[in-house]
Amino acid sequence: MRNKSLLFVLALSAGMFVTSCSNDDNEGETIVPIQGKYNLRQTGTIGPDGKEILIDAPQNQAGCPGDYLDLRLSNAAVVGDYNGTECALTETTGTYVRSHNDLTLTIGGVSSTSDIMNLTNKELKIKDKTTGIITVYSR
């Protein structure tokens, strides 16, 4: 009787172990929260050889803080743009929607959808689905 109980418990434990880990895949979707303020760092494309070609973001005004993208918990998106010798800040507000690894930004009535190529606690890298432009932000 004792052997049967031990065998039953062992079989039950093995069954739980095998089935509990069968599908922990998140289908490539990153689980890092997307909310936060990101500083524009680089832009670029993918070259003919399939490698990324990234340069320092020309949108950043020399001598000014870098432009930024602020994605808020309320799904508001704020784009900060520093311009001129006085580094005047212009903020444009819109919205964003994240669906799996897609990020749709609607700023100033214009929508763009990008693939989230990389999202970590330190970096957001997106690739515009229409233009193929890669934009790299850092936190």
Side-chain angles (χ1 to χ4, degrees):
M1 180 72 172
R2 184 169 189 228
N3 287 340
K4 286 184 182 183
S5 295
L6 184 59
L7 187 59
F8 177 73
V9 169
L10 185 60
L12 185 61
S13 298
M16 289 179 63
F17 175 74
V18 171
T19 60
S20 67
C21 297
S22 65
N23 193 9
D24 288 343
D25 186 19
N26 60 3
E27 297 177 6
E29 181 178 349
T30 181
I31 56 174
V32 173
I34 197 163
Q35 294 82 15
K37 186 173 181 180
Y38 299 92
N39 298 307
L40 178 61
R41 194 173 78 219
Q42 295 177 310
T43 61
T45 59
I46 295 183
D49 60 355
K51 294 183 180 178
E52 294 178 5
I53 302 168
L54 299 174
I55 60 170
D56 289 338
Q59 299 91 323
N60 287 337
Q61 178 77 28
C64 296
D67 294 350
Y68 63 87
L69 173 63
D70 188 2
L71 301 176
R72 299 183 177 166
L73 193 57
S74 64
N75 285 57
V78 178
V79 174
D81 182 23
Y82 292 95
N83 277 312
T85 57
E86 318 246 326
C87 297
L89 174 62
T90 303
E91 287 188 328
T92 308
T93 303
T95 60
Y96 76 93
V97 175
R98 178 182 180 188
S99 176
H100 301 288
N101 275 344
D102 288 345
L103 176 65
T104 302
L105 290 167
T106 305
I107 307 290
V110 178
S111 289
S112 64
T113 301
S114 300
D115 287 321
I116 299 172
M117 298 175 71
N118 189 32
L119 176 60
T120 66
N121 289 330
K122 296 183 180 185
E123 180 181 86
L124 169 64
K125 183 189 291 185
I126 57 176
K127 179 181 174 189
D128 189 285
K129 287 187 177 225
T130 304
T131 65
I133 302 276
I134 298 170
T135 308
V136 182
Y137 297 93
S138 62
R139 286 194 204 210

